[in-house]
Amino acid sequence: MPVSETRAERWERVARLLKEERISNIGAARRLRVRKEFVREVRADLGMRPYRLLRHQWTVVDYEALSVPVDGGHRRWLGRFSTSNVPMAGQSQTAYQVAFRLLHGREPVGRCEGTCTRKACVAGEHQEDDVMRAAQPGRLTYQGMDLVAIRQALRGKPPYPPLRLEEKRMAFRLADPALGVVATEVPVVQLARRLGCCDQTIRRWRDEGVPG
């Protein structure tokens, strides 16, 4: 903020940005070097609705505007917290889920929570969901699923073990080479045979996503 700038000039700068771009109060405050409370006042003066980010609208810029890096690769949340001290990115969406989605490019499955020792850390690299937990080599079962049978179906030779529906879905998720359970992507026909599904089911899951 220029030293000699008047309140009216500062108001004009903020108003111009709010009219030109859909941006959060914190994002605008950081860019223009003003207080977020002042941005909120200008937004109200303009008759604009309070800024709300929907689940699908979060970007890396939004996320970084509401969190700051700290020592050890952690990130501290600057936004709202729930009554149980969980960092929140919406009414029912946690900052952990946003960080996970932005890093991995997919929705977290099941519980999404931190793996580090810093309380309420929102670094994407420090979040883990059920799929990542199930991919851990030392696990034999997870939430009633036989992980040994799932790994045998993905990596072994026929006859493949029969899998229940939830195990087929988890096996499909674990067939992503990025998780390390398989070395390369398994072709549709082969994956269907290994999981005991029809080809159309595998193609649909790849196109539309596997049900939760």
Side-chain angles (χ1 to χ4, degrees), residues 52-115:
R52 294 285 186 272
L53 270 172
L54 301 179
R55 178 177 294 271
H56 64 281
Q57 292 178 323
W58 278 87
T59 66
V60 173
V61 173
D62 298 318
Y63 163 73
E64 291 182 346
L66 274 175
S67 62
V68 292
V70 293
D71 292 344
H74 307 292
R75 289 193 78 92
R76 180 167 58 87
W77 188 243
L78 302 177
R80 182 175 67 87
F81 281 75
S82 71
T83 54
S84 56
N85 207 35
V86 175
M88 301 299 296
Q91 285 296 109
S92 59
Q93 179 179 216
T94 69
Y96 305 138
Q97 293 169 319
V98 169
F100 184 99
R101 185 185 311 113
L102 291 175
L103 178 66
H104 297 289
R106 66 173 177 84
E107 293 289 339
V109 176
R111 288 183 300 115
C112 180
E113 54 193 18
T115 60

Side-chain angles (χ1 to χ4, degrees), residues 136-201:
Q136 294 171 0
R139 285 186 180 269
L140 302 179
T141 62
Y142 185 71
Q143 294 190 349
M145 291 180 287
D146 186 342
L147 298 182
V148 175
I150 289 174
R151 292 189 181 106
Q152 184 179 346
L154 289 174
R155 299 186 300 202
K157 297 180 180 180
Y160 302 114
L163 301 177
R164 292 177 287 122
L165 178 58
E166 61 268 27
E167 292 171 337
K168 293 178 183 180
R169 291 174 173 174
M170 180 57 76
F172 176 85
R173 296 185 177 105
L174 292 177
D176 181 351
L179 295 171
V181 177
V182 296
T184 58
E185 185 176 272
V186 183
V188 170
V189 174
Q190 186 178 354
L191 184 59
R193 184 163 59 252
R194 290 180 177 222
L195 304 190
C197 300
C198 62
D199 301 354
Q200 290 84 349
T201 297

